[in-house]
Amino acid sequence: GAGVSQTPSNKVTEKGKYVELRCDPISGHTALYWYRQSLGQGPEFLIYFQGTGAADDSGLPNDRFFAVRPEGSVSTLKIQRTERGDSAVYLCASSPRTGGLGANVLTFGAGSRLTVL
Amino acid sequence: GNSVTQMEGPVTLSEEAFLTINCTYTATGYPSLFWYVQYPGEGLQLLLKATKADDKGSNKGFEATYRKETTSFHLEKGSVQVSDSAVYFCALISNQAGTALIFGKGTTLSVSS
């Protein structure tokens, strides 16, 4: 597609429930990133994929968070047993490749706002 | 580890005033530096970038110069407009392969007419 698409745009759930957030990157972009942005804060890195594999998942806060990208395109961020502290905007971004000399620019989606009641 | 520090906001200016938003960084090697902007109700957008020391990134009247000696990438604009009201994020990405973009906490700019 023309841009990075994220669904749903808004999700309200109850504490303890399971949530999936989807990201559809720009066609042909091999690198895909997930970030979390809490109110009044900058985006916090969670995980990134190069192709199908997670090249760096050091930002995932705990084992309730998991992400997949089985075919190297669409990615799903999965959150188990949601907690109120998980409430944030989850941002997805893609780029033609990962960082390096002349690093490529990340293009961000509009985000999925998650509210855990 | 790599990190970015921005001046805290909010920054409140009148239209046509001069803007500076300070940004300093800590990184190994030679990172690329970015400013992203988030307008109300919209997603993050790249504003400008610089990939090596002494490079100047510019866009929409905004400028920032990559200063290796002071590890800084301050954002400037000579005459701000009401439409520049947004949150501005400084960010870096290391030149080491396999690293992610790291953001500062953001600075809110509010411009009044």
Side-chain angles (χ1 to χ4, degrees), chain A residues 19-54:
Chain A
V19 166
E20 288 190 353
L21 306 175
R22 175 189 168 107
C23 173
D24 201 339
I26 291 173
S27 179
H29 279 194
T30 57
L32 184 147
Y33 301 78
W34 283 100
Y35 287 81
R36 177 170 69 175
Q37 187 174 16
S38 301
L39 192 63
Q41 299 294 314
E44 172 194 14
F45 168 72
L46 296 177
I47 184 171
Y48 93 85
F49 292 86
Q50 177 62 18
T52 59

Side-chain angles (χ1 to χ4, degrees), chain A residues 33 35 37 40-43 45 48 56 91 98-103 105-106 108, chain B residues 32 34 36 38 44 46 49 51 89 93-95 97-101 103-105:
Chain A
Y33 301 78
Y35 287 81
Q37 187 174 16
Q41 299 294 314
F45 168 72
Y48 93 85
D56 183 353
L91 298 171
T98 58
L101 293 175
V105 171
L106 273 63
F108 283 82
Chain B
S32 293
F34 305 81
Y36 277 80
Q38 192 169 36
L44 277 166
L46 177 70
K49 70 173 183 176
T51 58
F89 295 92
I93 191 165
S94 168
N95 66 339
T99 57
L101 189 65
F103 286 88
K105 291 187 176 182

